[in-house]
Amino acid sequence: MKQIVLKKIEQLRPYEQNPRVHSDEQVQRIARSINEFGWTNPILVTRDDEVLAGHGRLMAAQRIGLEEVPTLLIDPLTKEQARAYVIADNQTALISSWDDELLRSELAALQDADFDLSALGWGDDLPEFVEPPDYSILDEEDMDDMLDDLEGGAKRAIMIEFN
């Protein structure tokens, strides 16, 4: 069974060819998350302490002055698998999405509980939820009269859009 092992930060070597870029703002937000929630996700390393996943967490740990971080050895991997995993770990996280209704509800509940929402990773840029358009007006009987009053091109565009 794999075990999480604390390692000194200076032991770890970031993967030099890591194509993922971590902005200063992102590292700051990760550091904020670590301060709020503690360390929840180990840095994944090879047998020779090369970082496969967790480069941003490592940078955040350095920023807040941690001396050790939890690591998890990912072994055995071929050199090619290790290279591929660095990319796959980042890409698979990008292809998820949010359920806006549930997210809105959860954010509202946290806000009602006076939780500091800046710790959630958006900083002060919380998502804005746009209400879907109300198309119920299209069901009104007067719609035909309103469309008849429009110029030909605009009327055709509206009819094409909603037919």
Side-chain angles (χ1 to χ4, degrees):
M1 182 160 122
K2 295 186 183 237
Q3 292 186 345
I4 295 174
V5 175
L6 286 177
K7 293 203 176 195
K8 297 235 180 257
I9 285 180
E10 60 265 11
Q11 275 182 254
L12 303 179
R13 294 181 309 105
Y15 179 63
E16 289 182 16
Q17 298 300 316
N18 183 16
R20 190 72 172 166
V21 177
H22 299 283
S23 69
D24 188 59
E25 181 180 6
Q26 181 198 23
V27 172
Q28 184 61 39
R29 289 180 184 185
I30 294 169
R32 171 78 172 93
S33 178
I34 292 169
N35 283 328
E36 179 68 33
F37 306 112
W39 201 281
T40 61
N41 193 3
I43 294 175
L44 306 182
V45 297
T46 63
R47 185 174 298 270
D48 60 350
D49 291 330
E50 185 173 46
V51 175
L52 294 177
H55 292 84
R57 292 188 299 279
L58 178 60
M59 293 166 72
Q62 290 168 323
R63 176 169 292 184
I64 59 180
L66 297 180
E67 293 181 16
E68 295 180 322
V69 293
T71 65
L72 184 65
L73 174 64
I74 303 300
D75 191 57
L77 289 180
T78 66
K79 199 73 161 160
E80 291 76 21
Q81 285 175 319
R83 290 179 94 155
Y85 186 77
V86 170
I87 297 168
D89 178 67
N90 287 296
Q91 180 56 29
T92 54
L94 293 175
I95 58 177
S96 67
S97 61
W98 293 100
D99 179 319
D100 285 349
E101 188 175 320
L102 286 173
L103 179 58
R104 181 188 333 211
S105 172
E106 288 296 291
L107 291 175
L110 288 168
Q111 192 167 27
D112 289 347
D114 291 326
F115 187 83
D116 180 4
L117 299 182
S118 68
L120 301 180
W122 284 285
D124 293 327
D125 302 323
L126 289 172
E128 294 181 20
F129 301 97
V130 178
E131 293 295 326
D134 180 10
Y135 294 114
S136 65
I137 191 172
L138 299 176
D139 297 332
E140 293 186 18
E141 293 176 14
D142 295 335
M143 182 54 73
D144 287 334
D145 293 335
M146 287 189 278
L147 285 174
D148 286 340
D149 292 341
L150 292 173
E151 295 293 321
K155 180 178 177 179
R156 258 194 315 275
I158 290 171
M159 292 174 73
I160 289 169
E161 177 70 23
F162 294 105
N163 281 335

